């Protein structure tokens, strides 16, 4: 099977053709892992979905677990961002809507599968840990800024993130109804109200 890429001047740029082939293989891998799980997909199917020869897959990723790990990290950037518009509620609502949207993509489903406790491959576990750390760090920076600006009392940003994202995963993974912006607004309002209502922990005696 041919790689199916045009042979014009643009395709002959150094690194351009190979970069596009790799991008297509990584995208196909994320989609197939989302559909079949990490143990279920085959290189032949990756090559067919990506529109490349299977040797292109083997040559770049002789270890299929490394292919899965790179596919996950390649598509993780959108899950690790949270805006700073100056309006904490708005930013958190957008964040939850983005998480819900990401969970519905092949990458998001692949990530969820990789999080299953039965998955034991070290490369994939390390990749998932990196992705979660990136997302947690982005939220932590936004929450810390809100604390410094007096929008929130001092709060454990990890705990806050779990309280916010947990219901999103529940609604999306159940698949009984779409997750809406109204859902995100209700979650954010309840969590922020609870955080603001809890009295600060007493300081230990000197």
């Amino acid at each position: 099977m041919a790689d199916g890429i045009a042979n014009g001047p643009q395709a002959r740029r150094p690194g351009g053709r190979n970069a596009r082939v790799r991008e297509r293989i990584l995208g196909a891998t994320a989609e197939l892992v989302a559909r079949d799980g990490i143990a279920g997909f085959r290189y032949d199917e990756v090559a067919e979905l990506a529109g490349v020869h299977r040797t292109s897959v083997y040559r770049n990723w002789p270890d299929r677990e490394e292919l899965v790990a790179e596919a996950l990290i390649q598509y993780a950037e959108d899950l690790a961002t949270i805006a700073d518009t100056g309006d904490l509620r708005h930013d958190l609502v957008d964040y939850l809507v983005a998480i819900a949207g990401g969970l519905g993509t092949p990458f998001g489903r692949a990530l969820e599968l990789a999080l299953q406790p039965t998955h034991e491959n070290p490369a994939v576990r390390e990749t998932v840990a990196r992705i979660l750390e990136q997302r947690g760090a982005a939220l932590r920076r936004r929450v810390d800024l809100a604390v410094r600006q007096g929008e929130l009392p001092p709060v454990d940003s990890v705990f806050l993130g779990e309280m916010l994202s947990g219901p999103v995963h529940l609604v999306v993974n159940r698949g009984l109804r779409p997750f809406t912006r109204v859902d995100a607004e209700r979650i954010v309002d309840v969590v922020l109200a609870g955080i603001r209502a809890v009295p600060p922990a007493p300081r230990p005696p000197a």
Side-chain angles (χ1 to χ4, degrees):
M1 182 191 307
D3 282 353
I5 297 178
N7 294 319
Q10 185 175 6
R12 290 196 297 268
R13 287 182 306 177
R17 179 177 182 274
N18 187 58
R20 287 193 295 275
V21 169
R22 289 176 63 88
E23 183 76 15
R24 282 157 47 182
I25 292 172
L26 291 172
T29 299
E31 185 171 341
L32 288 172
V33 169
R35 189 189 75 187
D36 301 330
I38 292 171
F41 85 96
R42 303 195 312 271
Y43 273 17
D44 287 351
E45 291 181 316
V46 172
E48 181 178 359
L49 185 59
V52 303
H53 196 280
R54 64 181 179 180
T55 57
S56 295
V57 186
Y58 285 110
R59 183 173 61 249
N60 287 284
W61 293 278
D63 183 335
R64 64 190 235 137
E65 302 290 354
E66 292 291 341
L67 170 57
V68 171
E70 188 168 343
L72 294 178
I73 203 68
Q74 176 81 7
Y75 291 90
E77 293 182 0
D78 289 343
L79 293 183
T81 59
I82 179 170
D84 175 15
T85 66
D87 182 335
L88 177 64
R89 179 182 184 272
H90 181 273
D91 295 343
L92 292 178
V93 169
D94 281 351
Y95 179 66
L96 297 191
V97 170
I99 289 178
L103 290 173
T105 65
F107 166 75
R109 293 191 294 272
L111 184 60
E112 288 289 294
L113 288 169
L115 285 169
Q116 298 303 312
T118 55
H119 190 72
E120 299 179 353
N121 181 268
V124 176
R125 279 207 316 270
E126 290 173 9
T127 298
V128 172
R130 285 173 59 191
I131 293 169
L132 295 180
E133 173 56 28
Q134 287 174 4
R135 190 167 73 182
L139 179 61
R140 185 162 57 250
R141 288 191 295 270
R142 184 65 185 90
V143 170
D144 289 347
L145 176 62
V147 171
R148 290 196 301 271
Q149 294 178 338
E151 294 181 90
L152 283 178
V155 60
D156 182 340
S157 59
V158 174
F159 174 75
L160 177 60
E162 291 171 347
M163 294 301 99
L164 289 168
S165 63
V168 181
H169 286 262
L170 182 64
V171 172
V172 174
N173 291 338
R174 277 181 173 176
L176 299 179
R177 63 179 180 83
F179 184 89
T180 67
R181 190 172 187 85
V182 172
D183 292 321
E185 291 171 345
R186 292 174 65 187
I187 293 167
V188 169
D189 287 343
V190 168
V191 172
L192 291 185
I195 292 295
R196 288 164 174 154
V198 175
R203 294 184 177 183

